[in-house]
């Protein structure tokens, strides 16, 4: 038993059949999500609505307008954003864990979530419309990472340790700013708004703004996918890689830019969703091994599937929206603990 | 002297323990013991003269009970956020004010000591109440309703409990004013109940109450708070059961409920923006309330009309909005004018009454 497990982890390639299975799982969860919701809509009607709107089939509507709104304007954008955020955060987590050569690094290590939270809290306190809140939040997320990067930069390089420390410093600073804003905010109407926002929700994305969320995340994920081979160079240690003549700094900047775009967008649109970027990469390492060539696409698929499942629970459990940040942690932490036990902490 | 007062406290304490419920205030003493809305026994001055009105509508309630010359500290948003508060009581501009008070914010007790306050009307926040206790300022909890009223009688009792307590604290004229107000509330409740009692289930419009924080129609009240009022006014309330006092519902749930009427609360900060957005947003175009333009902002006068003493007026307004035909004889302008002259001693013009119905607040100054 033990033997086969080790073999599986060290397995260099993953069979095509396995990839097809992963893809099938993710897409069927996505598809099923469109049939679930607080409104009781028959599967047949959902299929007809999807056929009419997506495939332009000539179907005469025999359903009420509210049903079409629920499927096309609420469930579909929500499923899309949930899968992108899940995939994006998991890929960022895997990329950072590879780059930092540390399995406990989350995609928020460089301060992006703290920065984006401060931006969102500012927007909410100033009573700005949702779009403006999202833009301010995005900009602050980027700002935090830029601050981290330049704090860590010494002699044209950014040693990994410096990056982690600078990220901690910048995060701490922005966390304090967030506490200050929360302290000063009106406790009866603005504080609950900030609190809810920080706990995260997939529900606030309108179909009109969907492109602004999907585009930066999609492009960044594509870039990460294309450079996934190179992530393995960090596994030999940065100094060794440099001594072999590899320019790790350029790769590092590229990864930081991509993950920052993904995480800042996801925090700006959906709030801080923890644990996804930690649990999914580990789960995928168990499934496909530590080679980033396989790990990155696996985190993409599994991350999307995982967050879709969680978001479906958020929508279905009660009439009141359950903040997604709560469920990802409640479900993610035990899974993580189980994985830790099972692998005894050794990933490589 | 110190010894004596300590003795009085001990005696009072023993009385409270031994004769639970039977103990009444000692006329000779300078203090008396009352039970506040959270069930705490608090020793307060026999006749408090410098009251700090900190909870939501506490200024409005003390003012209505005739205690305008016994206020020692008001919240700055109460003093400047409601134009009618200043019109009905010009002295309000001269009261000492405090900024940044809320249910969860830590208080700076020195500000209260500095204002020479002899009684604080405060939230049910144990940590902060402890601070007042240490500073020797009696703090009374107002607005801490925890149970859901099941019958109209229970509702009447519960919705006037705050005012009843305040009238006992103020004493004298306040008690008469309270009785008069309570009779008015009872009259309204009975009038509405009489007219709506025979409305069948299918003729009761579905009502949703939203915007309890932020500019967000999806933030609502948990069912308990408004259920009986809606039943009384001949409607059916849709509200989430879980999620605390101010839960957020999901979009699809609102479509599923498909309310006929949506009340937009002032508790969120910009109800008119929420209404505008609802009418413009494609997500909501199928809602009956949006199609039939049945979105209503809760009116606002000396304070938001759904809070404090003016909740008695709100019931009439709600009933008329929900069943305009049944309450055609009710003229809200006249009713407001009657209420303002009877309970606030103020001659309200027709134009002012109209502005109340449109929600008359000074948003800049509503910030705590």
């Amino acid at each position: 038993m033990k033997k086969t497990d080790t073999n599986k982890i060290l397995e260099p390639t993953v069979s095509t059949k396995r990839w097809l299975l992963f893809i099938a799982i993710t897409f069927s969860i996505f598809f099923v999500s469109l049939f679930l919701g607080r409104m009781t809509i028959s599967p047949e009607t959902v299929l007809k609505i999807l056929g009419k709107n997506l495939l332009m089939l000539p179907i005469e509507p025999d359903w009420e307008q509210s049903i079409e709104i629920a499927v096309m304007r609420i469930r579909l954008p929500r499923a899309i954003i949930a899968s992108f955020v899940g995939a994006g955060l998991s890929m960022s987590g895997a990329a950072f864990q590879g780059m930092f050569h540390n399995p406990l690094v989350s995609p928020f290590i460089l301060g992006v979530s703290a920065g984006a939270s401060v931006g969102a809290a500012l927007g909410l306190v100033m009573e700005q419309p949702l779009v403006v809140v999202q833009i301010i939040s995005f900009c602050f997320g980027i700002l935090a990472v830029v601050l981290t990067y330049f704090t860590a930069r010494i002699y044209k390089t950014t040693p990994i340790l410096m990056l982690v420390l600078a990220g901690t410093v910048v995060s701490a600073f922005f966390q304090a700013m967030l506490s200050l804003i929360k302290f000063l905010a009106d406790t009866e109407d603005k504080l609950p708004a900030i609190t809810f926002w920080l706990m995260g929700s997939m529900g606030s994305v309108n179909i009109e703004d969907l492109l602004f969320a999907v585009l930066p995340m999609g492009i960044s994920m594509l870039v990460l996918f294309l450079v996934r081979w190179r992530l393995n160079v960090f596994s030999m240690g940065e100094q060794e890689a440099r001594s072999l003549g590899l320019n790790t700094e350029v790769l590092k900047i590229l990864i930081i830019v991509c993950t920052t775009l993904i995480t800042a967008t996801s925090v700006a649109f959906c709030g801080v969703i923890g644990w996804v970027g930690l649990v999914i990469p580990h789960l995928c390492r168990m499934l496909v091994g530590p080679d980033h060539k396989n790990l990155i696409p696996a985190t993409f698929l599994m991350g999307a599937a995982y967050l879709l499942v969680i978001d479906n629970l958020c929508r279905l459990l009660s009439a009141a929206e359950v903040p997604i940040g709560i469920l990802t942690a409640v479900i993610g932490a035990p899974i993580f603990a189980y994985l830790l036990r099972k692998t005894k902490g050794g990933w490589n | 002297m110190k010894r004596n007062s300590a003795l009085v406290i001990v005696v009072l304490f023993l009385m409270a323990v031994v004769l639970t419920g039977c103990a009444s205030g000692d006329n000779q003493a300078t203090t008396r013991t009352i039970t506040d809305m959270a069930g705490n026994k608090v020793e307060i001055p026999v006749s408090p003269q410098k009251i700090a009105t900190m909870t939501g509508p506490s200024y409005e309630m003390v003012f209505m009970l005739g205690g305008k010359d016994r206020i020692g500290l008001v919240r700055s948003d109460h003093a400047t956020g409601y134009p009618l508060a200043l019109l009905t009581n010009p002295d309000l501009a001269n009261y000492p004010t405090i900024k940044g008070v809320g249910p969860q914010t830590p208080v700076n007790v020195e500000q209260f000591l500095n204002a020479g306050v002899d009684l604080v009307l405060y939230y049910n926040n144990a940590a902060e109440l402890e601070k007042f206790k240490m500073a020797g300022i009696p703090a009374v909890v107002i607005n801490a309703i925890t149970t859901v009223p099941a019958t109209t009688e229970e509702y009447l009792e519960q919705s006037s409990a705050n005012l009843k307590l305040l009238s006992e604290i103020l004493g004298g004229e306040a008690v008469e004013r309270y009785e008069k107000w309570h009779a008015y509330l009872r009259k309204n409740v009975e009038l509405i109940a009489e007219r709506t009692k025979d409305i069948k289930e299918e003729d009761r419009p579905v009502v949703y109450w939203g915007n309890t924080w932020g500019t967000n129609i999806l933030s609502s009240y948990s069912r308990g708070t408004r259920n009986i009022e809606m039943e009384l006014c001949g409607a059916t309330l849709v509200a989430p059961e879980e999620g605390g006092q101010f839960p957020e519902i999901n979009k699809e749930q609102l479509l599923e409920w498909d309310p006929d009427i949506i009340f937009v609360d002032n508790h969120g900060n910009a109800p008119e923006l929420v209404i505008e957005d609802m009418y413009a947003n494609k997500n909501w175009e199928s809602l009956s309330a949006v199609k039939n333009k049945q979105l209503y902002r809760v009116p606002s006068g000396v304070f938001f009309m759904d809070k404090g003493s003016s909740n008695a007026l709100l019931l009439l307004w709600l009933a008329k909005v929900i069943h305009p035909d049944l309450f055609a004889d009710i003229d809200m302008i006249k009713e407001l004018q009657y209420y303002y002259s009877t309970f606030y001693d103020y001659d309200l013009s027709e134009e002012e009454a109209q502005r109340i119905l449109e929600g008359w607040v000074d948003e800049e100054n509503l910030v705590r």
Side-chain angles (χ1 to χ4, degrees):
Chain A
M1 191 65 206
K2 199 82 193 280
K3 200 102 189 169
T4 50
D5 263 0
T6 349
N7 279 340
K8 208 191 286 170
I9 289 173
L10 295 176
E11 200 177 333
T13 51
V14 180
S15 68
T16 320
K17 219 164 100 189
R18 203 149 200 211
W19 281 122
L20 285 176
L21 181 70
F22 288 167
I23 293 171
I25 291 174
T26 307
F27 277 86
S28 46
I29 291 175
F30 180 91
F31 194 60
V32 166
S33 301
L34 303 177
F35 292 81
L36 303 172
R38 298 291 296 180
M39 252 182 146
T40 29
I41 309 174
S42 74
E44 192 197 335
T45 314
V46 176
L47 280 176
K48 277 193 197 162
I49 292 173
L50 291 176
K52 174 179 167 263
N53 288 287
L54 297 181
L55 307 173
M56 307 297 165
L57 298 177
I59 300 172
E60 269 307 297
D62 56 353
W63 53 81
E64 280 177 45
Q65 192 194 7
S66 62
I67 290 180
E68 189 162 330
I69 290 180
V71 175
M72 293 307 298
R73 298 187 59 91
I74 292 171
R75 288 183 191 176
L76 187 65
R78 229 182 134 138
I80 293 174
I81 195 78
S83 43
F84 267 78
V85 168
L89 289 178
S90 308
M91 269 174 109
S92 309
F96 265 9
Q97 285 154 18
M99 186 174 110
F100 285 98
H101 200 38
N102 180 341
L104 283 172
V105 165
S106 90
F108 302 135
I109 186 94
L110 298 183
V112 68
S113 67
S117 301
V118 169
L122 271 179
L124 292 169
V125 164
M126 293 188 298
E127 295 181 21
Q128 295 302 315
L130 188 65
V131 192
V132 181
V133 173
Q134 287 165 344
I135 294 170
I136 302 176
S137 170
F138 180 77
C139 295
F140 268 73
I142 304 279
L143 175 75
V145 176
V146 169
L147 280 176
T148 302
Y149 184 79
F150 284 103
T151 309
R153 198 169 162 91
I154 317 165
Y155 305 126
K156 291 185 185 167
T157 61
T158 47
I160 292 298
L161 183 67
M162 280 299 286
L163 266 181
V164 175
L165 289 174
T168 314
V169 171
V170 170
S171 287
F173 174 75
F174 278 103
Q175 286 293 349
M177 297 302 289
L178 180 64
S179 301
L180 181 68
I181 296 170
K182 283 163 89 174
F183 171 73
L184 295 173
D186 190 318
T187 45
E188 265 173 52
D189 60 35
K190 296 199 192 79
L191 192 59
I194 296 173
T195 314
F196 257 82
W197 191 91
L198 289 177
M199 288 191 289
S201 169
M202 296 283 153
S204 49
V205 180
N206 268 324
I207 195 155
E208 283 85 2
D209 330 321
L210 196 62
L211 200 64
F212 297 104
V214 165
L215 211 60
M217 285 205 236
I219 294 172
S220 308
M221 283 195 270
L222 186 68
V223 173
L224 282 182
F225 181 76
L226 293 175
V227 301
R228 67 191 189 282
W229 313 79
R230 294 177 173 265
L231 274 164
N232 289 332
V233 304
F234 288 105
S235 67
M236 64 174 98
E238 206 187 359
Q239 259 158 10
E240 284 79 353
R242 289 178 79 87
S243 66
L244 286 176
L246 291 165
N247 190 348
T248 49
E249 199 57 28
V250 175
L251 182 59
K252 211 186 287 168
I253 292 175
L254 188 68
I255 292 168
I256 291 178
V257 168
C258 289
T259 49
T260 303
L261 279 174
I262 293 171
T263 44
T265 313
S266 104
V267 179
F269 278 94
C270 307
V272 181
I273 301 168
W275 282 96
V276 181
L278 214 49
V279 176
I280 298 301
H282 287 303
L283 184 76
C284 292
R285 266 183 216 109
M286 289 191 67
L287 293 169
V288 301
D291 185 348
H292 288 89
K293 186 190 92 188
N294 296 326
L295 187 61
I296 292 291
T299 49
F300 174 88
L301 292 169
M302 289 298 124
Y306 177 74
L307 212 60
L308 276 167
V309 171
I310 302 268
D311 187 50
N312 286 341
L313 289 177
C314 292
R315 295 191 293 135
L316 290 169
L317 282 181
S318 82
E321 176 92 30
V322 183
I324 193 160
I326 297 177
L327 282 189
T328 49
V330 165
I331 298 173
I335 294 181
F336 193 59
Y338 168 76
L339 291 179
L340 272 179
R341 296 287 308 161
K342 185 153 179 158
T343 57
K344 303 190 177 58
W347 311 106
N348 301 316
Chain B
M1 195 57 209
K2 249 207 167 125
R3 255 219 150 111
N4 266 350
S5 58
L7 200 68
V8 170
I9 295 172
V10 170
V11 169
L12 277 174
F13 180 73
L14 284 176
M15 271 169 67
V17 171
V18 178
L19 310 167
T20 326
C22 310
S24 63
D26 191 336
N27 283 341
Q28 252 65 48
T30 53
T31 61
R32 59 194 165 122
T33 305
I34 54 140
T35 306
D36 70 9
M37 295 301 288
N40 305 323
K41 295 232 186 310
V42 188
E43 198 174 308
I44 64 162
V46 170
S47 176
Q49 296 300 321
K50 287 194 127 187
I51 303 173
T53 55
M54 294 298 114
T55 61
S58 55
Y59 161 74
E60 187 269 344
M61 292 193 285
V62 172
F63 172 63
M64 193 282 275
L65 293 169
K68 79 184 194 72
D69 297 326
R70 297 164 69 179
I71 295 173
L73 189 65
V74 288
R75 257 164 53 179
S76 58
D77 56 316
H78 289 175
T80 53
Y82 308 84
L84 260 175
L86 210 57
L87 284 172
T88 50
N89 178 17
D91 293 344
L92 185 56
N94 307 322
Y95 295 161
T97 57
I98 185 168
K99 264 189 103 69
V101 175
Q104 268 102 46
T105 28
V107 292
N108 184 342
V109 178
E110 284 188 29
Q111 256 184 295
F112 292 80
L113 288 169
N114 203 24
V117 163
D118 60 2
L119 180 71
V120 180
L121 306 178
Y122 206 71
Y123 300 93
N124 192 10
N125 179 336
E128 302 311 311
L129 291 173
E130 193 58 36
K131 285 191 197 165
F132 287 118
K133 206 171 179 181
M134 284 195 287
I137 307 173
V140 170
V141 173
I142 294 286
N143 306 4
I145 291 166
T146 47
T147 54
V148 181
T151 63
T152 325
E153 251 342 283
E154 266 178 48
Y155 170 72
L156 271 170
E157 194 186 306
Q158 207 173 78
S159 59
S160 40
N162 281 315
L163 276 151
K164 188 163 188 233
L165 175 66
L166 283 177
S167 72
E168 282 160 11
I169 289 172
L170 291 166
E173 186 211 7
V175 178
E176 287 153 41
R177 289 183 84 109
Y178 165 75
E179 296 295 343
K180 195 170 169 188
W181 172 84
H182 186 72
Y184 175 78
L185 172 71
R186 180 174 285 276
K187 192 195 82 185
N188 282 353
V189 168
E190 279 166 4
L191 175 127
I192 296 168
E194 178 58 32
R195 293 190 191 181
T196 56
K197 68 178 192 300
D198 294 329
I199 300 175
K200 285 190 218 78
E201 201 54 50
E202 62 266 30
D203 296 331
R204 289 175 176 258
V206 173
V207 169
Y208 170 75
W209 201 297
N211 188 40
T212 58
W213 44 259
T215 47
N216 183 1
I217 195 64
L218 298 171
S219 60
S220 184
Y221 285 104
S222 58
R223 173 175 291 279
T225 331
R226 294 280 171 206
N227 207 28
I228 188 124
E229 285 180 342
M230 289 299 130
E231 215 169 275
L232 178 70
C233 296
T236 307
L237 180 73
V238 283
E241 310 287 343
E242 307 89 6
Q245 197 187 353
F246 306 119
E248 177 170 342
I249 61 162
N250 57 51
K251 287 179 184 167
E252 201 172 322
Q253 186 64 64
L254 195 56
L255 289 181
E256 165 78 17
W257 281 331
D258 191 18
D260 301 302
I261 298 170
I262 295 178
F263 289 113
V264 183
D265 203 279
N266 287 298
H267 203 228
N269 36 40
E272 74 284 359
L273 284 184
V274 174
I275 295 180
E276 230 172 81
D277 175 68
M278 288 285 284
Y279 284 141
N281 192 331
K282 278 193 173 153
N283 291 353
W284 306 126
E285 64 186 16
S286 72
L287 284 183
S288 307
V290 171
K291 271 195 225 148
N292 304 323
K293 299 256 179 256
Q294 293 291 301
L295 263 66
Y296 296 93
R297 173 187 181 161
V298 173
S300 180
V302 175
F303 195 72
F304 299 135
M305 205 197 261
D306 57 321
K307 308 269 158 53
S309 82
S310 51
N311 200 42
L313 267 172
L314 181 89
L315 288 177
L316 278 182
W317 179 80
L318 287 172
K320 196 174 159 72
V321 167
I322 295 168
H323 290 291
D325 42 327
L326 280 181
F327 296 90
D329 57 321
I330 306 278
D331 181 347
M332 274 321 287
I333 302 279
K334 288 227 164 63
E335 202 63 38
L336 277 164
Q337 286 176 323
Y338 168 78
Y339 192 88
Y340 271 67
S341 73
T342 314
F343 296 105
Y344 297 143
D345 306 313
Y346 179 76
D347 282 322
L348 190 74
S349 73
E350 252 177 62
E351 194 213 333
E352 285 168 336
Q354 193 55 47
R355 291 191 73 172
I356 291 178
L357 295 177
E358 288 156 13
W360 193 4
V361 287
D362 188 342
E363 260 161 36
E364 294 279 291
N365 289 322
L366 277 181
V367 180
R368 263 172 255 237

